[in-house]
Amino acid sequence: MNYWDSQGYLGGEIIGIPAKHGYGWVSGLMGKVMGFYINLPSSPSIYISADTIFTNHVDKVLTEFKPDITIVASGSARLDIGKELLMNLDDIVKFVEKSPKKVIANHLEALNHCPTTRKQLKEVLTKKGLLNKINIPIDGEIMEF
């Protein structure tokens, strides 16, 4: 699949969205990444941002496509050297602010290189008045929309 190409998918469409796995030089080590915007008939549209930092492409999907549900990898993963591989807390806040509807935070507390915890994310989003806009599921939790 090519970036920004729309392909038929289950009677609707799926579009590959460019993503950037890391800030600075570390992104070059991580290779190419792709998120997905999925729009199916009679279902909420969804944007799976993938392992990415906040970029103009991410912003474009949030502001122009206006997905009903967005998923953001929120663990702020990092290697022992370099900057984060995923959005830092400031960019997660920006992602939630710009998301038009409901956000799901994933990739939390799953790996030892993801220092952002659910508790920490809840505290930051509470201070910003955004907690009502995001779901921060526990491991194994099932959500329906």
Side-chain angles (χ1 to χ4, degrees), residues 17-71:
I17 308 299
K20 186 175 180 186
H21 197 354
Y23 296 92
W25 62 267
V26 75
S27 68
L29 300 175
M30 302 309 294
K32 292 186 178 185
V33 184
M34 182 179 287
F36 298 97
Y37 173 77
I38 303 168
N39 192 10
L40 304 177
S42 304
S43 296
S45 59
I46 187 167
Y47 171 46
I48 304 167
S49 66
D51 286 356
T52 189
I53 62 173
F54 198 96
T55 66
N56 290 336
H57 300 295
V58 171
D59 186 67
K60 178 178 179 173
V61 175
L62 297 177
T63 58
E64 293 181 21
F65 290 34
K66 299 188 184 313
D68 297 307
I69 301 167
T70 56
I71 301 175

Side-chain angles (χ1 to χ4, degrees), residues 8 35 40 48 68 75 79 94 105 107 112 119 126 128 136 140 143:
L40 304 177
I48 304 167
D68 297 307
L79 301 172
K94 186 182 347 179
H107 213 337
N112 63 356
K119 180 181 178 188
T126 297
K128 299 286 187 176
I136 305 173
M143 294 176 287

Side-chain angles (χ1 to χ4, degrees), residues 80-121:
D80 290 336
I81 57 172
K83 295 182 179 184
E84 291 92 346
L85 304 173
L86 305 174
M87 291 183 207
N88 59 37
L89 279 171
D90 289 338
D91 281 346
I92 294 168
V93 168
K94 186 182 347 179
F95 185 97
V96 175
E97 286 173 336
K98 289 189 167 242
S99 289
K101 296 186 181 175
K102 203 62 171 170
V103 180
I104 300 170
N106 70 355
H107 213 337
L108 286 153
E109 302 172 16
L111 303 166
N112 63 356
H113 70 281
C114 291
T116 300
T117 64
R118 289 175 175 96
K119 180 181 178 188
Q120 183 181 18
L121 185 58

